[in-house]
Amino acid sequence: MQAGLKNAKQHSKLKLPKLVMRAFFIVLGAALVSVGLENFLVPNKIIDGGIVGISIISSHLSGIPIGVFLLLLNLPFLFIGYKQIGKTFALSTLFAVALMSLGTWLLHPVPPLTNDPLLAAVFGGIIVGIGVGMVIRSGGSLDGTEILAIVFSKKMPFSVGEVVMFFNLFILSSAGFVFGWDHAMYSLIAYYIAFKLIDITIEGFDESKSVWIISENSRELGDAIMNRLGRGVTYLQGEGGFTGGNKLVIFCVINRLEEAKLKSIVEETDEAAFLAVGNIHDVQGGRFKKKDIH
């Protein structure tokens, strides 16, 4: 019994720093989004996609602060997120949305940092993208349309990304009727930049890649990768579809900076080898950490 309590305490101690870090990045992410909206996008009549875009348009038409719409319009999706994804996600999202709404309200009296719509679109998109990426990476969300897209994708023959794109194209097009088509085009620039920065923030600059190699010299090639690149490899048994012969397939994970060197190792060892490289969004466990090469 005492051992069980001791393990539980140790487990909670291990979890607490992670929870603190998660909360810190949610606060920082929500703060960045608030700055991007109130100091760049909103004063220049530039919108983002999703609930944020709808909130900007609604605030402009009604005169009600954008923070009110950000909170109210996201609330129904929080309930859906709780049912579809889980309690932790819903609470993290509620925390992030509440902070974003408060941040926009506090920053509303602050004058914009630029009145140039192009600069506002570029830097506003960068700041919003990094902020949203931080929140998503910490287990939350700032936009209910992604939750709605998950529900729609289960009932319709479209992916989550396709549903989100459809919603955002409709919302961004609406900006043309409300703010003018010049501002709608600036909004597309801001949305594209934010979209790219979200991916970079979530995945990081040190992007991982999976490598599959089929060679007649698999053992020699695997040894070369381990010795010269410092990466571990896994050998998988395969069978040729045309020949029916047994094949030894090499699998390993590298980062993008090592791709060129790996290709040169493959070419030097076996020019006829089949090589396939793909992107990986996340790597955990195993022996991915690089071994020192002397």
Side-chain angles (χ1 to χ4, degrees):
M1 183 70 176
Q2 290 180 346
L5 290 172
K6 184 177 180 181
N7 290 333
K9 290 179 180 178
Q10 288 176 344
H11 184 64
S12 64
K13 288 179 181 178
L14 288 172
K15 289 183 67 175
L16 183 60
K18 289 184 179 181
L19 290 173
V20 172
M21 286 300 296
R22 175 180 290 185
F24 171 77
F25 281 111
I26 287 177
V27 171
L28 182 58
L32 286 174
V33 173
S34 301
V35 171
L37 291 175
E38 284 292 351
N39 296 114
F40 290 93
L41 300 184
V42 174
N44 290 282
K45 299 179 180 178
I46 298 170
I47 74 170
D48 191 16
I51 297 299
V52 173
I54 297 174
S55 299
I56 293 173
I57 294 174
S58 301
S59 176
H60 175 76
L61 294 175
S62 66
I64 299 173
I66 183 177
V68 175
F69 290 103
L70 288 171
L71 184 60
L72 292 180
L73 292 178
N74 271 299
L75 284 178
F77 300 109
L78 287 174
F79 178 75
I80 298 173
Y82 176 79
K83 292 292 186 180
Q84 294 290 328
I85 303 174
K87 181 180 178 181
T88 301
F89 171 80
L91 291 175
S92 298
T93 300
L94 177 61
F95 181 49
V97 170
L99 287 172
M100 177 177 62
S101 301
L102 177 62
T104 56
W105 179 72
L106 293 173
L107 290 171
H108 186 70
V110 179
L113 295 179
T114 179
N115 292 314
D116 186 318
L118 181 58
L119 289 175
V122 172
F123 286 94
I126 291 172
I127 294 170
V128 168
I130 293 173
V132 172
M134 283 183 176
V135 173
I136 294 175
R137 189 164 184 169
S138 301
S141 177
L142 286 170
D143 198 316
T145 54
E146 293 180 1
I147 302 171
L148 187 64
I150 293 172
V151 177
F152 268 96
S153 66
K154 293 179 179 179
K155 299 180 180 180
M156 301 174 66
F158 300 106
S159 67
V160 174
E162 289 170 339
V163 177
V164 170
M165 184 176 293
F166 173 78
F167 282 138
N168 286 334
L169 284 175
F170 175 77
I171 294 165
L172 291 168
S173 298
S174 301
F177 296 99
V178 178
F179 299 121
W181 294 106
D182 285 350
H183 290 280
M185 287 185 276
Y186 285 126
S187 298
L188 282 171
I189 294 173
Y191 173 73
Y192 178 79
I193 292 172
F195 180 80
K196 290 297 181 182
L197 264 295
I198 290 171
D199 280 347
I200 291 173
T201 305
I202 294 172
E203 297 173 11
F205 289 97
D206 192 19
E207 184 180 355
S208 300
K209 293 180 177 288
S210 62
V211 180
W212 302 82
I213 308 169
I214 302 174
S215 169
E216 297 296 332
N217 305 316
S218 296
R219 294 289 180 182
E220 182 184 351
L221 187 51
D223 289 340
I225 293 171
M226 288 188 286
N227 294 327
R228 295 174 57 184
L229 203 60
R231 292 295 184 188
V233 302
T234 300
Y235 297 107
L236 306 172
Q237 292 293 336
E239 181 180 333
F242 288 107
T243 64
N246 292 327
K247 299 286 185 181
L248 199 60
V249 182
I250 301 172
F251 173 76
C252 68
V253 177
I254 61 174
N255 63 48
R256 63 179 178 177
L257 300 178
E258 296 168 332
E259 185 177 354
K261 185 174 181 180
L262 180 130
K263 287 180 178 179
S264 68
I265 293 172
V266 174
E267 289 174 3
E268 292 171 14
T269 308
D270 183 4
E271 291 184 352
F274 172 81
L275 172 66
V277 181
N279 293 329
I280 300 178
H281 293 292
D282 194 13
V283 177
Q284 292 182 350
R287 295 185 178 181
F288 178 64
K289 187 175 181 182
K290 186 165 180 167
K291 183 182 73 175
D292 293 333
I293 303 173
H294 301 287

